[in-house]
Amino acid sequence: MNPVKPGETPRTPWIVGVSGASGTPYAAAVLRGLLDAGESVDLVVSRASRLTLLDETGISFRDAHWQDDLREWLARGADGKPGTFVPDIDAVRHWSAGDLAAGPSSGSYPAKGMLIVPASTACVAGVALGLSKDLLQRAASVTLKERRRLVVSVRETPLNGQTLRHLVTLDDLGAAVVPASPGFYAGATHIQDLVDFVAGRVLDAAGVEHDLYRRWKGDLGGSRTTDN
């Protein structure tokens, strides 16, 4: 378990927002990485992302049964195979996306920061413009105003000029923009490796330790070795 730092409470979570962009395996990998690192998580799953999750995994994410649904989701590999992981979700607290009175809607609620993964272009626009139309966007606005760390993993291609300007705005506001763009130097041999690379870069931007991918060591051809 990570030590409590000055200004933090015994439970000072990372807020994880999941928007409606394709890429729910990225969100699952980030959540597993946070939990494996001993971090607490406050989870906000947007209405649009529930449709994407259903389409990509066949899992219905329901507020009344969120623990069962989350456990099933995090147990799946990026290839859709169930039972690939054995997640421990005891450190997760779920907030409904429509609950604007939830803890993360206030700056006085303790949080380390927020990770939005995947981030749709609509979500990027809403956060950049400060719309706060749901809890996900409101929590992101709170994260920015409180000068906490915000990581936005945009998952869209191609990007038009309007979205690029919104991303520059987020960068100017202090957010880290981490495109869901996997690298291949880590020696990926499976789709899970590519997903974990992106998740690892998101966690790197948040300053959370992990072992999700093999880091570059300056050795050309290292990705073809078995030494990870």
Side-chain angles (χ1 to χ4, degrees), residues 10-11 27 38 48 53 63 77 82-83 88 91 116 129 133 137 157 166 170 188 191 193-194 216 218 220 224 226:
R11 188 187 188 279
L53 182 64
D63 287 341
D88 181 355
I116 304 177
L129 297 173
K133 73 177 184 65
Q137 291 185 14
T157 189
H166 289 151
L170 291 178
I191 186 174
D193 299 326
L194 298 175
W216 177 251
L220 291 176
R224 294 189 296 274
T226 58

Side-chain angles (χ1 to χ4, degrees), residues 5 12 26 39-40 46 48-49 63 71 77 79 87 91 98 111 116 124 127 168 189 193 197-198 216 226:
K5 299 177 182 178
T12 304
Y26 293 127
E39 300 284 356
S40 297
S46 76
S49 70
D63 287 341
R71 192 175 289 108
D79 59 2
I116 304 177
V124 167
V127 176
V168 170
T189 59
D193 299 326
F197 179 90
V198 171
W216 177 251
T226 58

Side-chain angles (χ1 to χ4, degrees), residues 43-63:
L43 178 63
V44 182
V45 181
S46 76
R47 289 188 298 173
S49 70
R50 299 176 192 221
L51 297 176
T52 306
L53 182 64
L54 180 62
D55 182 56
E56 293 184 345
T57 68
I59 297 171
S60 297
F61 194 92
R62 304 157 295 175
D63 287 341

Side-chain angles (χ1 to χ4, degrees), residues 37-113:
E39 300 284 356
S40 297
V41 173
D42 276 21
L43 178 63
V44 182
V45 181
S46 76
R47 289 188 298 173
S49 70
R50 299 176 192 221
L51 297 176
T52 306
L53 182 64
L54 180 62
D55 182 56
E56 293 184 345
T57 68
I59 297 171
S60 297
F61 194 92
R62 304 157 295 175
D63 287 341
H65 304 280
W66 71 268
Q67 290 173 310
D68 291 336
D69 297 337
L70 177 63
R71 192 175 289 108
E72 182 182 1
W73 177 22
L74 298 191
R76 287 179 182 259
D79 59 2
K81 183 179 179 181
T84 301
F85 301 97
V86 183
D88 181 355
I89 65 169
D90 287 346
V92 180
R93 183 173 185 179
H94 168 257
W95 300 93
S96 173
D99 184 3
L100 291 177
S105 69
S106 172
S108 66
Y109 184 80
K112 292 183 177 179

Side-chain angles (χ1 to χ4, degrees), residues 27-40:
V30 166
L31 287 166
R32 286 192 298 264
L34 287 170
L35 296 173
D36 287 345
E39 300 284 356
S40 297

Side-chain angles (χ1 to χ4, degrees), residues 149-168:
R149 193 168 304 191
L150 175 64
V151 182
V152 179
S153 184
V154 62
R155 215 307 307 164
E156 185 65 85
T157 189
L159 296 173
N160 62 31
Q162 188 175 44
T163 299
L164 290 169
R165 285 187 286 273
H166 289 151
L167 291 172
V168 170

